[in-house]
């Protein structure tokens, strides 16, 4: 079972990469990335819900759990809740975010008249 931070970072990284390389432009980048990170956490909803706890837990450990940004595969790959893996996933997410910002080219130091 990976830490929630690991799942969130993997989901956010996935959405950021899709936004960077698909020919889609929207001004709702940040909400999409946050929603994608939350989407990656959904199979662990069984930890906080008072109802349907068993159904959510089974979903978390099934092959269908991979629909949520490979949630089940990540849990199997990291059974010890490694803090190191969470730090690496967060670092990769931050790196991808910087690359995306540079690729998009709308930061404060960009001359918009030259584009």
């Amino acid at each position: 079972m990976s830490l929630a931070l690991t799942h969130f970072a993997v989901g956010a990284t996935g959405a950021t990469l899709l936004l960077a390389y698909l020919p889609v432009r929207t001004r709702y980048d940040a909400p999409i990335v946050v929603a994608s990170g939350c989407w990656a956490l959904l199979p662990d909803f069984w930890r906080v819900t008072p109802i349907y706890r068993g159904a959510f837990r089974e979903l978390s450990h099934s092959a269908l759990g991979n629909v949520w940004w490979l949630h089940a595969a990540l849990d199997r790959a990291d059974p010890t809740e490694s803090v190191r893996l969470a730090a690496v996933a967060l670092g990769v997410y931050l790196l991808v975010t910087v690359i995306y910002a540079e690729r998009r080219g709308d930061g404060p130091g960009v001359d918009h008249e030259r584009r």
Side-chain angles (χ1 to χ4, degrees), residues 2-114:
S2 291
L3 294 173
L5 179 62
T6 307
H7 289 295
F8 185 87
V10 169
T13 300
T16 305
L17 286 171
L18 287 175
L19 287 170
Y21 292 104
L22 289 179
V24 175
R25 292 291 173 244
T26 179
R27 60 185 178 160
Y28 301 109
D29 297 345
I32 290 171
V33 169
V34 170
S36 179
C38 292
W39 174 260
L41 292 172
L42 278 180
D44 281 337
F45 189 64
W46 65 270
R47 295 177 185 262
V48 295
T49 183
I51 58 173
Y52 302 120
R53 185 173 226 132
F56 277 111
R57 186 175 181 135
E58 287 177 22
L59 173 69
S60 174
H61 299 298
S62 71
L64 186 59
N66 288 323
V67 171
W68 288 271
W69 289 111
L70 301 174
H71 188 100
L74 193 55
D75 277 349
R76 279 192 296 278
D78 180 29
T80 62
E81 295 186 351
S82 171
V83 175
R84 183 173 291 157
L85 180 63
V88 168
L90 189 60
V92 168
Y93 167 61
L94 292 174
L95 178 66
V96 167
T97 301
V98 169
I99 292 169
Y100 173 66
E102 285 296 317
R103 182 173 168 79
R104 185 164 173 183
D106 61 359
V110 174
D111 183 12
H112 291 286
E113 292 180 19
R114 283 198 282 154

